[in-house]
Amino acid sequence: YSWNCSARTDCISEELIRMMADAGCKEIFFGVETGSERMQKIINKHLDIRQVHDTIDVVAKAGIASTVSLIVGFPEETWEDLSQTLEIFLHSARTPNSKPQINILAPLANTPSYIRHKDELVLSDFCSDMCRQGRHQDDEDLQLIRQHPDIFSSFYLAPTPNLDRPILFELREFLTNGIYRFRWLLAAAAQCPGGMAALFLEWVKYRKSLHPELAGSELRSYYRLPLHVNELFDFLRRHSAPQSRKVAILLDFYAAADQADACEEEPGLGRVELDCEEPARPWDVAVRKNYSQIVEFEWDLHEVVEMVKECRTGEPDRGQRFYLVPRRFSKEASVCEVSIYIARVAELCDGKRSVGEIIEALKEVIVVSPESAGGKFYMALIEEARKEGVIAIWRKARRLHRALAPESDLTVSPAV
């Protein structure tokens, strides 16, 4: 089960966390809101920010996932307050199985913030995520929102006299998309002098030099495009890579992954994926899971990630390594290191070749002596790749039905 702990993170002891983990708790939601001690008092939250950092670590150590929810755009907030909130965001980003969120303040109806500022609310192209604003709004919708601000208050914005409102919304898009697409790179870049706040402001200057016209929904769309990723990586190579070995290595890895061949083939119609217990046959088709690709890389990515987590510098180990990189992301799909043997198998599992064809191709890249033992060895490699979740085996439905049918004197040639 999940537990919503939006009230107090400083009331959770390590012993309580262990008890929750033993009881089956899988995830905790922390409504931290702000990383500023000053703002904690203003919003009447009164969390101990130092304890927030410790609690995120304790929860991760117990094997429980966490969501750390943060808010920017308070009327009293300054850039210094926001910078302190970003420190909490990045602590969560550096913590495995923790997911940071950043939201724009929504002046919900009859809340103290709404009551204090209801005469100053502004209707803008951007608003809080609370209202699930679409890319475009119809005139009829906008008219309804204007006529009933007390009902649709979450579509409005509170005044931010100390902060540039467009900057807040671009910050949300920048962090939300970055943490989803390249979490460790973003966390590494934020460890350069000046931290995330300075990095982001430099990035905005660079982005405006390329696309000064972007605003509103078009700016939001930009942050979802591959173009944004390419331009951000170019920026980081100039801004952060010369200062950080971690950033430089991670950028090189993304470049290598971009050049690698992905598995774009779907098994043909009429095929079904076999259970792991069902042995593969020569006529079955093997395909990499999650449209994955095999990336050969010279650095130890695991060590680089550990350096990011611990905010330390150094030179990671160097040597030939192979990584499985999913193109289709999910909770179960992540970059993982595989052996050279599994890598060679996965490279051949493109959704076009049968298991028999893969075995023949393996003979060219992995020599087995005596040759008579090769067949069993290659099949064992394929089964190991399937066991590790690297590949899946698909079979024509009619063959599966025959395999599960009672004994019959009908025989099927692998050549069919």
Side-chain angles (χ1 to χ4, degrees):
Y1 59 88
S2 299
W3 185 40
N4 186 324
C5 185
S6 59
R8 314 250 353 138
T9 56
D10 48 359
C11 294
I12 304 177
S13 67
E14 188 169 353
E15 181 181 2
L16 176 58
I17 293 296
R18 286 199 302 267
M19 291 173 59
M20 293 170 62
D22 292 341
C25 180
K26 301 299 182 184
E27 183 173 2
I28 302 177
F29 179 95
F30 292 120
V32 178
E33 322 308 6
T34 175
S36 164
E37 296 279 5
R38 187 182 77 90
M39 288 303 304
Q40 283 286 332
K41 295 175 183 177
I42 290 174
I43 67 175
N44 200 30
K45 191 87 174 184
H46 303 289
L47 295 181
D48 183 340
I49 298 303
R50 292 168 298 179
Q51 188 68 30
V52 170
H53 286 268
D54 293 340
T55 301
I56 293 172
D57 294 339
V58 168
V59 168
K61 186 178 178 181
I64 300 176
S66 65
T67 297
V68 180
S69 181
L70 300 160
I71 296 176
V72 295
F74 294 102
E76 304 84 358
E77 192 173 20
T78 65
W79 187 255
E80 178 60 28
D81 296 319
L82 185 146
S83 298
Q84 293 168 8
T85 296
L86 293 182
E87 292 178 10
I88 298 287
F89 183 96
L90 289 164
H91 188 101
S92 173
R94 293 192 303 269
T95 304
N97 218 18
S98 182
K99 181 177 68 176
Q101 292 180 349
I102 192 158
N103 308 287
I104 305 297
L105 176 69
L108 301 181
N110 292 325
T111 58
S113 179
Y114 172 78
I115 293 170
R116 281 197 301 269
H117 302 285
K118 65 179 182 178
D119 295 329
E120 306 171 79
L121 300 183
V122 177
L123 188 60
S124 170
D125 289 341
F126 279 151
C127 60
S128 171
D129 286 344
M130 289 289 294
C131 62
R132 304 297 182 193
Q133 184 184 32
R135 182 174 179 181
H136 299 288
Q137 291 177 305
D138 294 335
D139 291 338
E140 292 84 356
D141 293 335
L142 290 172
Q143 183 178 357
L144 193 64
I145 291 168
R146 291 191 183 100
Q147 289 175 348
H148 303 281
D150 291 342
I151 297 175
F152 300 106
S153 61
S154 62
F155 283 84
Y156 287 78
L157 298 171
T160 54
N162 304 311
L163 296 170
D164 184 356
R165 186 175 289 124
I167 285 289
L168 290 180
F169 287 101
E170 186 156 2
L171 175 66
R172 181 185 70 183
E173 299 302 314
F174 176 81
L175 292 177
T176 299
N177 287 282
I179 204 66
Y180 175 75
R181 291 180 171 184
F182 34 82
R183 176 189 190 121
W184 298 113
L185 176 60
L186 194 68
Q191 294 171 21
C192 292
M196 176 55 74
L199 172 73
F200 171 69
L201 291 179
E202 288 297 320
W203 156 250
V204 171
K205 290 181 184 178
Y206 181 77
R207 193 273 304 163
K208 287 183 176 179
S209 71
L210 301 175
H211 309 287
E213 76 289 351
L214 289 181
S217 61
E218 295 304 320
L219 181 62
R220 176 183 290 170
S221 298
Y222 165 76
Y223 275 97
R224 288 157 173 76
L225 296 175
L227 175 65
H228 156 61
V229 177
N230 294 335
E231 292 177 347
L232 178 62
F233 285 6
D234 288 342
F235 165 77
L236 291 176
R237 285 198 179 278
R238 304 176 191 183
H239 179 276
S240 301
Q243 306 176 62
S244 171
R245 196 77 182 105
K246 294 173 287 189
V247 172
I249 291 173
L250 288 169
L251 284 170
D252 287 345
F253 177 77
Y254 280 105
D258 189 55
Q259 295 173 6
D261 293 329
C263 180
E264 301 293 349
E265 289 293 321
E266 286 277 9
L269 293 176
R271 294 185 183 272
V272 294
E273 182 177 350
L274 299 185
D275 294 333
C276 288
E277 294 77 17
E278 181 71 20
R281 296 289 181 258
W283 53 80
D284 296 331
V285 172
V287 60
R288 275 171 263 152
K289 285 196 169 184
N290 302 303
Y291 290 86
S292 297
Q293 60 205 66
I294 297 296
V295 177
E296 185 175 350
F297 198 56
E298 61 178 340
W299 297 101
D300 185 346
L301 275 186
H302 175 76
E303 187 177 353
V304 174
V305 169
E306 290 300 313
M307 291 166 62
V308 176
K309 291 179 189 175
E310 299 168 9
C311 298
R312 60 179 170 87
T313 58
E315 191 77 1
D317 290 339
R318 200 167 189 168
Q320 185 188 45
R321 287 178 168 82
F322 298 88
Y323 296 94
L324 184 74
V325 182
R327 289 273 184 172
R328 178 179 291 172
F329 292 98
S330 68
K331 288 185 177 181
E332 294 75 27
S334 60
V335 176
C336 63
E337 185 174 356
V338 296
S339 70
I340 185 172
Y341 297 109
I342 297 298
R344 296 304 181 221
V345 171
E347 287 170 345
L348 296 168
C349 297
D350 55 5
K352 299 177 182 178
R353 294 180 174 92
S354 68
V355 170
E357 291 170 332
I358 292 170
I359 289 175
E360 289 301 314
L362 284 172
K363 293 178 182 179
E364 302 296 323
V365 293
I366 303 175
V367 178
V368 176
S369 182
E371 188 176 341
S372 58
K376 290 183 178 179
F377 176 79
Y378 300 132
M379 183 60 81
L381 272 183
I382 292 171
E383 291 294 353
E384 181 61 26
R386 181 157 63 136
K387 180 181 177 182
E388 293 183 13
V390 175
I391 67 171
I393 302 295
W394 290 72
R395 179 178 298 168
K396 285 187 177 179
R398 63 186 181 86
R399 293 195 185 278
L400 179 63
H401 293 158
R402 288 179 181 177
L404 298 178
E407 288 188 5
S408 168
D409 57 358
L410 178 65
T411 59
V412 181
S413 168
V416 176

